[in-house]
Amino acid sequence: MTLHPAFRSWCAALLLCALASPALAQIPANGSFEAGNPITGWTIGGDNRAGAVRDADVTGTLVIPDGTWAAAISTGPGARSSGPLNFDDFGGNNDYDVSWLETTMTFNFTPAFIAFDWAFASSEQNEPDQYDDVMDVKSNGTRIFSRSSCKLNGSSYSPFPNSNCQNAAQVNNEITSPNALDGVNLRFGPPSFQRTCIQLPNTVAGTNNVTLRFSVADENDRNVDSTLFIDNVQLKTSCNEVGSIVQLTNTPFDAFVEAKGGGFAVRRPNARLISSDATGTNVAFVHSGNLGANPNYLDQLYFWNGTAFSRAAALTVQSGGQIRGIAMSAQSATVSSTTWLGRYVAISASLTEADNAEIYRYDRATNTLTTITGTSGCENTAPTISGDGGVIAFESTCNALTNAGTTRKIVIWNGSTIDRPLGTTAGCDMNSPNLTKNANGRYLVFASSCVHSGTNADNNVEIYRYDRTGNSFSRITNTAATVVNTFPVLDGSATGQYVYFISNGNLTPSAPIFNSDLSYEIFRQDVTGSTLTQRTNSSDDDYIGLDVSLNGNLDYAYERISRLNFLTSVGKRRVNGTAGAADPEENLATGISVNGARLGLSGVVPIVNFLSSANFLNTNADGNTEVWQGRVQ
């Protein structure tokens, strides 16, 4: 099998091209810090608040991932000499008390990855938002990883994603040894480690000399301690650690210029839409780059199966045409005794400039395209598909399909014919359909200003759940006209028990978590117990997208935008089993343009696929929007 050059480095990251090398476990030297103090093979700098620590050196219990010792780098105890400076590149010299630990590695291969266990324990997690201590990891001066203090209120003053919170209650533990760290406060106790693996930027086939630096800094105040713990640092030829992030597509900065309409049309390579199967390893995406047989930079539907790339050759989009929406079937389907994960993809596309948007179903196993709708003068968009690919729901403004004039309605293709079970009343709007990811697609959620169950006198857009068996509706929200309810998503169970959605309403005002500031938050309705809970709570962010895995009662992906710096983030959260407790979060990526989070579950490891034009790994300097994939805990 020959891989496209854009995927060769990704191949290595998936162990397809990895070379076993026992000597790598020794790079860097003393990577697990088992030599104790002094930390041999490493250099301490800045305010020199760093050293090796054991569980015995900490009040409370510090669980060391590898061996007996780990490194600790702290902003304390107390105020130090360094600063002010602009450590986080956020503007303004408001960072202080910088300490760091670094080592230089020499190796002769590329690509190269650095894996390490880390934990960032901040005593700032109940302090005001602006006291948001920070840490980062740099390779030859290029930042490859960063985090800021966890905040109990979910805020993030710095541009860095938040680390995990520790205990919610203060316990005021301390580090007692070595001398450089004696008296460092762990207000919320010792942290829990997690592991990550990151590609080192700018490595070459010949000799590489890389200086790896772990740093911490105090943001805005100089009295409250934050401490970065590091252990088991390893140079590797590939990544399979949870927490790694990889750029799947990598198209060059380029453009195709076409003479059109007495002028010129310019097309650049960019990814726009993304979907995945239940495992997250099979990914469907729309890209206008030339990833194969696309020299004119037209919209193409591509697939990544975890090892190689392919194109939907049966789907022909001409100049002026556009793919408007895609949805990949979540579960497996068998053809010729071969199991295909994500076999089917529902597509909304205008194949020519003059064409309206129609609905198609593509079969990856047979490379065949089925036309679902054939209309004119109207639009069919926002497709969603059942897990087995047998049912597709979509939005339509076509009277021939809806019997409702030009108002937008939701119709369902049941595998052979179009159903109109959701009402034909003109003058109200239905949108955002989402089918269950389980095999039969029995349940559908959607947003609507129509009346489907009970009354809706103010015609506000509400969230509904529809059972295709029995043609019955459940009304999930009942809010005033000032409340926005949007982005409904069903969990992956066969019963469609949990409905997730986004709202700016204060829908649970008497619950431990409520939305008094009317920000856009993620809610979840348990239709079995009629229990509504608010899953997110942030005064500085608005949630703008979400997805669920097949175990949607536990894991869900999010997209959000910060009100402070307008950066967007994607990651995964897990439903906390304790009533009223905040859901723990793993943020994967934050940048100017990060969106489209789609969640799968590969074994026990959640996989988040997303789109971004950011240069996270120093591999996307041209700013094209590309497809990324991350593994989270």
Side-chain angles (χ1 to χ4, degrees), residues 329-333 344 361 385-391 437-441:
S329 58
Q331 294 190 321
S332 61
Y344 297 102
R361 189 183 74 165
I385 191 167
S386 63
D388 63 355
V391 178
K437 292 184 178 182
N438 70 296
N440 60 22

Side-chain angles (χ1 to χ4, degrees), residues 499-538:
V499 179
Y500 292 77
F501 62 95
I502 293 173
S503 178
N504 68 343
N506 190 12
L507 306 185
T508 58
S510 60
I513 298 177
F514 54 93
N515 193 26
S516 59
D517 62 356
L518 305 182
S519 55
Y520 286 87
E521 304 288 355
I522 296 175
F523 294 82
R524 189 184 77 163
Q525 174 79 35
D526 181 348
V527 298
T528 301
S530 299
T531 303
L532 178 66
T533 54
Q534 182 177 324
R535 307 313 317 177
T536 63
N537 190 28
S538 176

Side-chain angles (χ1 to χ4, degrees), residues 73 86 154 168 171 179-180 216 250 265 273 490 531 628:
I73 315 153
N86 183 18
V171 294
N179 288 338
V216 297
N250 191 357
L273 303 168
L490 269 171
T531 303
W628 301 75

Side-chain angles (χ1 to χ4, degrees), residues 290-306:
N290 187 11
L291 301 179
N294 191 30
N296 297 335
Y297 291 174
L298 298 170
D299 263 8
Q300 299 287 342
L301 177 61
Y302 293 100
F303 307 105
W304 173 253
N305 66 5

Side-chain angles (χ1 to χ4, degrees), residues 104-151:
T104 298
M105 306 174 292
T106 300
F107 53 94
N108 296 286
F109 55 87
T110 191
F113 302 82
I114 196 72
F116 54 91
D117 294 291
W118 69 278
F120 192 42
S122 178
S123 296
E124 300 275 21
Q125 69 184 50
N126 65 345
E127 293 293 311
D129 294 357
Q130 66 269 30
Y131 303 127
D132 192 23
D133 292 356
V134 289
M135 56 76 65
D136 74 2
V137 184
K138 290 181 178 177
S139 171
N140 285 347
T142 298
R143 181 177 289 126
I144 60 173
F145 186 82
S146 64
R147 288 293 185 271
S148 61
S149 300
C150 167
K151 292 293 185 180

